[in-house]
């Protein structure tokens, strides 16, 4: 007697495309499902993290179906947005100078130095693409493995070794990262591998996840710390949309789990964008 539809911000204009591409157009399919639900006699709740900034399509959808819009302004999680652009920023937050942390340091260098100060706290590192994910994960030198003798963790490592590694060849970065307590979550990986990495993280076996935008849709987990390293999505120069930025930042803290989340922005541009949208 009740339908709840999440991610409503993805509603697009009904005529945004043709019948020939409907099957391959996820946004159009989503819109059609929304239309079918809205015209039914069932009680319906549409959820969206961004409904207070309405597109013309959203306005038309709400008006056509007599849907009442309710803004939730109450914040259940406190988020601390931290600028980590330079050595001065690092010193201001951590209370001491971090050797080699500079404005021009690479993404991998900055992440490594920030992680070294977090002492195995749960942390998620957003990166623009999987090549950067590999680079960042392999560069982290701090211990991030909390329970090295966990049976499930050891069995998972053995499974990867038996099924994904080739003798006398270059080892897989995902395997090397896991041995250090770091999970890599990127699109071109078997789904069950990604799911098991998330389970290890949620069980606090490993303490760090290095993720791309593939993580922000459909993965319901969080961290005490979110290290925001880029405003780009993918190998090119595709910029993160406002909702993408909010989705990434929203991984810092989670209601009833982490009441306070810290977002470390490794340059001024990221800090300004995240600060503006909060």
């Amino acid at each position: 007697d009740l339908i709840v539809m999440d991610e409503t911000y993805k509603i697009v204009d009904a005529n945004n495309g043709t019948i020939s591409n409907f099957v391959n157009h996820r946004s159009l399919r989503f819109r059609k499902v929304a239309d079918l639900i809205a015209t039914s006699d069932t009680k319906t709740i549409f959820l969206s993290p961004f409904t207070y900034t309405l597109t013309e399509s959203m306005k038309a959808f709400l008006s056509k179906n007599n849907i009442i819009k309710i803004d939730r302004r109450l914040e259940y999680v406190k988020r601390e947005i931290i600028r980590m652009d330079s050595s001065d920023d690092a010193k201001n937050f951590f209370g001491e100078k971090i050797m080699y942390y500079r404005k021009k340091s690479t993404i991998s260098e900055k992440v490594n130095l920030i992680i070294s100060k977090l002492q195995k706290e749960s942390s998620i590192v957003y990166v623009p693409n999987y090549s950067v994910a590999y680079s960042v994960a392999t560069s982290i030198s701090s211990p991030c493995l909390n329970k090295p003798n966990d049976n499930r963790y050891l069995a998972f490592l053995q499974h990867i070794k038996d099924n994904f590694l080739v003798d006398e060849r270059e080892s897989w970065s995902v395997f090397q990262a896991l041995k250090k307590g770091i999970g890599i979550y990127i699109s071109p990986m078997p789904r069950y591998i990604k799911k098991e990495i998330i389970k290890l993280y949620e069980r606090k076996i490993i303490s760090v996840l290095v993720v791309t935008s593939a993580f922000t849709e459909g993965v319901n987990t969080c961290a005490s710390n979110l290290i925001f390293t880029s405003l780009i999505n993918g190998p090119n120069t595709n910029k993160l949309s406002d909702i993408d930025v909010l989705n990434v930042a929203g991984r810092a803290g989670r209601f009833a789990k982490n009441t306070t989340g810290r977002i470390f922005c490794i340059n001024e541009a990221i800090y300004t964008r995240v600060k503006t949208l909060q």
Side-chain angles (χ1 to χ4, degrees):
D1 59 351
L2 175 67
I3 297 175
V4 179
M5 188 171 191
D6 200 4
E7 310 290 343
T8 312
Y9 70 91
K10 295 177 181 177
I11 290 176
V12 297
D13 292 321
N15 61 356
N16 185 14
T18 63
I19 295 176
S20 63
N21 70 10
F22 178 87
V23 173
N24 297 319
H25 199 306
R26 189 171 68 166
S27 293
L28 282 177
R29 299 200 308 274
F30 191 93
R31 170 57 187 261
K32 186 60 179 179
V33 172
D35 284 343
L36 291 171
I37 292 173
T39 55
S40 71
D41 294 329
T42 307
K43 295 178 181 178
T44 305
I45 298 175
F46 293 94
L47 300 176
S48 173
F50 213 39
T51 51
Y52 46 86
T53 301
L54 297 180
T55 63
E56 291 302 317
S57 179
M58 178 68 78
K59 290 178 183 177
F61 176 78
L62 297 179
S63 176
K64 174 184 176 182
N65 296 290
N66 297 314
I67 298 171
I68 300 173
K69 178 175 172 288
I70 301 173
D71 287 338
R72 179 188 62 78
R73 295 295 184 178
L74 180 63
E75 294 293 338
Y76 295 110
V77 175
K78 179 181 178 182
R79 293 194 173 90
E80 184 179 4
I81 305 170
I82 304 156
R83 181 172 54 207
M84 291 290 289
D85 188 28
S86 65
S87 58
D88 288 339
D89 294 329
K91 184 178 180 181
N92 288 339
F93 181 77
F94 290 110
E96 60 182 1
K97 185 176 181 180
I98 301 181
M99 193 67 69
Y100 305 119
Y101 196 101
R102 302 183 178 90
K103 192 179 185 73
K104 294 184 178 180
S105 297
T106 65
I107 289 176
S108 295
E109 289 168 343
K110 286 189 173 183
V111 170
N112 184 31
L113 292 168
I114 293 172
I115 291 292
S116 71
K117 294 293 183 180
L118 299 181
Q119 300 179 345
K120 291 188 179 181
E121 294 181 13
S122 63
S123 301
I124 294 174
V125 184
Y126 171 78
V127 296
N129 54 63
Y130 64 84
S131 62
V132 179
Y134 290 147
S135 175
V136 167
T138 55
S139 73
I140 296 173
S141 56
S142 301
C144 302
L145 183 60
N146 294 321
K147 300 176 184 177
N149 296 319
D150 180 80
N151 289 334
R152 182 162 181 159
Y153 165 74
L154 293 174
F156 185 49
L157 281 184
Q158 189 63 47
H159 172 82
I160 292 178
K161 186 176 181 179
D162 292 342
N163 293 279
F164 291 89
L165 305 187
V166 179
D167 291 340
E168 299 179 359
R169 300 287 182 90
E170 184 178 355
S171 185
W172 193 22
S173 296
V174 173
F175 179 74
Q176 296 301 327
L178 277 171
K179 290 200 298 182
K180 298 191 296 181
I182 303 162
I184 297 176
Y185 192 103
I186 55 177
S187 182
M189 280 172 57
R191 184 180 296 272
Y192 80 95
I193 294 289
K194 292 187 285 191
K195 289 179 66 175
E196 186 61 28
I197 286 173
I198 296 301
K199 288 179 181 178
L200 290 174
Y201 173 78
E202 291 180 338
R203 292 177 56 227
K204 302 186 185 303
I205 307 299
I206 62 178
S207 60
V208 174
L209 292 177
V210 180
V211 308
T212 62
S213 59
F215 178 83
T216 62
E217 291 193 20
V219 181
N220 189 26
T221 194
C222 59
S224 299
N225 309 290
L226 186 282
I227 304 176
F228 214 139
T229 71
S230 177
L231 294 173
I232 300 299
N233 171 24
N236 301 312
T237 57
N238 299 324
K239 292 184 179 180
L240 291 175
S241 66
D242 287 351
I243 193 63
D244 289 332
V245 173
L246 287 172
N247 269 336
V248 173
R251 302 297 167 168
R254 182 63 62 87
F255 178 61
K257 291 186 177 181
N258 294 298
T259 55
T260 300
R262 299 184 297 190
I263 304 172
F264 294 90
C265 304
I266 70 165
N267 63 46
E268 184 68 31
I270 298 172
Y271 175 80
T272 300
R273 183 91 181 276
V274 174
K275 192 78 172 176
T276 300
L277 292 174
Q278 293 299 308

